[in-house]
Amino acid sequence: MSLVWRDIAVLSQGGRALALSCFFLVLAASLFPFAVGPDTKLLSAIAPGVHWLLALFLAVLHGERIFVEDEQDGSLEQLRALGFAEGSLMFSRIVAHWVIAFAPQIALTVVVDIFLGAGLASAGQHMLSLLIGTPALSCLAVLAAALTLGARQSSLLMIVIVFPLMIPPLIFGVSAAADSGSAALMLLGASSLISLVIAPLAGHFALKAALK
Amino acid sequence: MQATPLDQPLLSAKTLRIDRGGRTLIEGLTFDLRAGEQLVVRGPNGCGKTSLLRVLAGVAAPAAGTLTATSVGYLGHRDGFKDTASVACALKQWCALARQQNPALDEVLAQVGLADRSLFLVRALSAGQRRRLAIARLLLRKASVWVLDEPFNALDSAGRALLTQAFETHCAAGGCIVMALHEDIAFDGAKTLSLGEAAA
């Protein structure tokens, strides 16, 4: 638990990263009416897709820094020397990434929906889909960060790795947010659960290779 | 520090092989370190001193062989402190991670000569002071095995004396030390492992 708190404290950079998430969401959401036009019907129809695209961008926005600083300043070495396994380093960073990227998004769902002219009724559905699906995005972002640790052009690599892997949660997430049918929501939950098992496991090997 | 029977090695390496960049640096390394013992690893640049210490500290895995160690305190080239944290906060955070209850921060900071710097940001410290801070963390960790990579780097003569004193206290208290040192730094009373010669 102390590791999770430490990672949240370090990655949130004294709250600046949380503020970045909030500003990004509000500003990006406010641009959609300008880009698409003031047609509230159209805006509310694309609202699920907008929520989930913003989620993808947030995942990558905070994904890059997950391990880099700690690797460069020697913190990862110290954490390993303290006996923290690679899997627990992965898991705590997945939690920290989710708190920094997606907790603000879930809290601001209603605000984004107001910009998009979607009703409060649909905001609940959007929030539920984000709550269930975003852990998968955090897992994939942290896994990609572990895989690209120490690589040159790691930002480019990260985008290339992470966006294709995020397509299934994106599809399930948008359908779960658009429609209250339970099938998409269950598939979304399943992708989060599978990611929560696979990402720490795969990340274990990725970090091991990076720390060699 | 954990109580360990005197005849039980605190650190035991068996037929270790260490690779780096696809090249084998060290092969078939076997040694035991018991309470009170010090091992100095020497050798030219690139012979694998740091790679060996990273393996001994549990940071990296050996390519082959087994390693058993009790609690390890590691002092590497990079110290793992965030520039934007205060000295006291940085130490507290690492103590929390090492599950150290009520660490004697003030006492240890005074011991390493940073008593008046506890509210300073880490970025305001000089290289030597950062090294002293890393030594403070090592002292607070209360590990039985110290793995130190060029521990005297950046330290002034007072810092070196302080560290040598800490070595003596640690070994007298039943700990052991492995450290990498440059050829030109004399260090008496310790076993020596010469890597360059072993590899040649």
Side-chain angles (χ1 to χ4, degrees):
Chain A
M1 218 37 222
S2 57
L3 182 60
V4 174
W5 283 120
R6 183 250 172 215
D7 283 349
I8 291 174
V10 168
L11 289 176
S12 69
Q13 294 181 308
R16 287 195 301 278
L18 282 166
L20 174 67
S21 295
C22 296
F23 278 118
F24 173 79
L25 278 169
V26 172
L27 290 175
S30 69
L31 291 179
F32 272 91
F34 294 111
V36 180
D39 181 354
T40 45
K41 233 182 208 166
L42 176 63
L43 279 169
S44 60
I46 62 164
V50 171
H51 278 292
W52 273 86
L53 269 182
L54 291 179
L56 253 64
F57 295 150
L58 271 177
V60 175
L61 185 69
H62 293 290
E64 249 185 86
R65 292 180 35 251
I66 290 176
F67 289 108
V68 174
E69 261 174 52
D70 276 354
E71 201 270 332
Q72 284 172 350
D73 69 16
S75 298
L76 271 188
E77 287 182 355
Q78 287 295 333
L79 288 169
R80 285 288 298 126
L82 279 178
F84 289 104
E86 288 89 350
S88 44
L89 294 178
M90 283 291 296
F91 188 77
S92 82
R93 264 151 228 256
I94 289 169
V95 176
H97 179 272
W98 188 88
V99 168
I100 288 154
F102 299 124
Q105 187 182 17
I106 290 166
L108 291 175
T109 310
V110 177
V111 177
V112 174
D113 272 332
I114 289 170
F115 279 116
L116 299 174
L120 280 182
S122 55
Q125 188 66 25
H126 297 159
M127 207 184 279
L128 184 67
S129 79
L130 288 171
L131 192 65
I132 292 178
T134 46
L137 302 188
S138 283
C139 288
L140 293 171
V142 176
L143 178 59
L147 284 168
T148 56
L149 185 60
R152 278 186 297 169
Q153 303 286 341
S154 60
S155 324
L156 176 67
L157 260 179
M158 169 137 187
I159 290 169
V160 171
I161 291 174
V162 97
F163 277 142
L165 290 173
M166 283 180 178
I167 290 173
L170 173 70
I171 293 171
F172 299 143
V174 172
S175 9
D179 168 28
S180 53
S182 65
L185 213 53
M186 278 162 75
L187 283 168
L188 190 61
S191 39
S192 276
L193 288 176
I194 291 170
S195 309
L196 277 168
V197 174
I198 291 177
L201 205 65
H204 166 88
F205 293 105
L207 282 183
K208 213 167 203 169
L211 281 169
K212 209 154 195 180
Chain B
M1 207 178 298
Q2 294 157 356
T4 317
L6 271 178
D7 54 335
Q8 197 81 13
L10 296 173
L11 179 73
S12 171
K14 284 196 178 61
T15 58
L16 282 189
R17 198 184 91 215
I18 291 163
D19 295 349
R20 186 162 177 81
R23 202 161 63 91
T24 298
L25 292 172
I26 297 168
E27 203 162 18
L29 179 67
T30 300
F31 68 89
D32 283 341
L33 270 190
R34 293 182 166 74
E37 289 185 319
Q38 301 182 13
L39 177 70
V40 175
V41 183
R42 290 188 191 270
N45 291 345
C47 69
K49 295 190 295 287
T50 294
S51 301
L52 170 64
L53 293 189
R54 281 164 60 90
V55 167
L56 296 180
V59 174
T66 53
L67 179 79
T68 42
T70 46
S71 60
V72 174
Y74 178 58
L75 182 69
H77 285 295
R78 295 168 298 176
D79 54 28
F81 292 119
K82 303 289 174 205
D83 282 348
T84 49
S86 75
V87 165
C89 279
L91 276 185
K92 262 186 218 156
Q93 198 173 47
W94 282 108
C95 287
L97 288 167
R99 294 194 187 83
Q100 237 100 56
Q101 307 289 334
N102 308 316
L105 286 188
D106 295 335
E107 204 177 294
V108 170
L109 280 175
Q111 197 181 336
V112 298
L114 292 176
D116 56 343
R117 295 284 191 278
S118 67
L119 296 177
F120 280 48
L121 292 184
V122 170
R123 71 160 161 245
L125 300 183
S126 71
Q129 286 172 325
R130 276 186 86 128
R131 200 65 173 168
R132 283 166 183 252
L133 183 59
I135 293 166
R137 176 179 55 201
L138 185 70
L139 293 170
L140 284 166
R141 169 99 171 83
K142 293 189 168 45
S144 47
V145 182
W146 283 5
V147 178
L148 318 172
D149 200 353
E150 314 273 5
F152 294 109
N153 270 7
L155 288 178
D156 54 13
S157 57
R160 286 169 188 231
L162 180 153
L163 193 56
T164 315
Q165 177 64 43
F167 291 165
E168 282 166 20
T169 316
H170 178 63
C171 288
C176 68
I177 301 172
V178 192
M179 64 182 130
L181 286 182
H182 276 306
E183 298 290 346
D184 54 344
I185 298 175
F187 196 82
D188 300 327
K191 292 200 259 183
T192 303
L193 175 69
S194 297
L195 283 184
E197 290 162 29

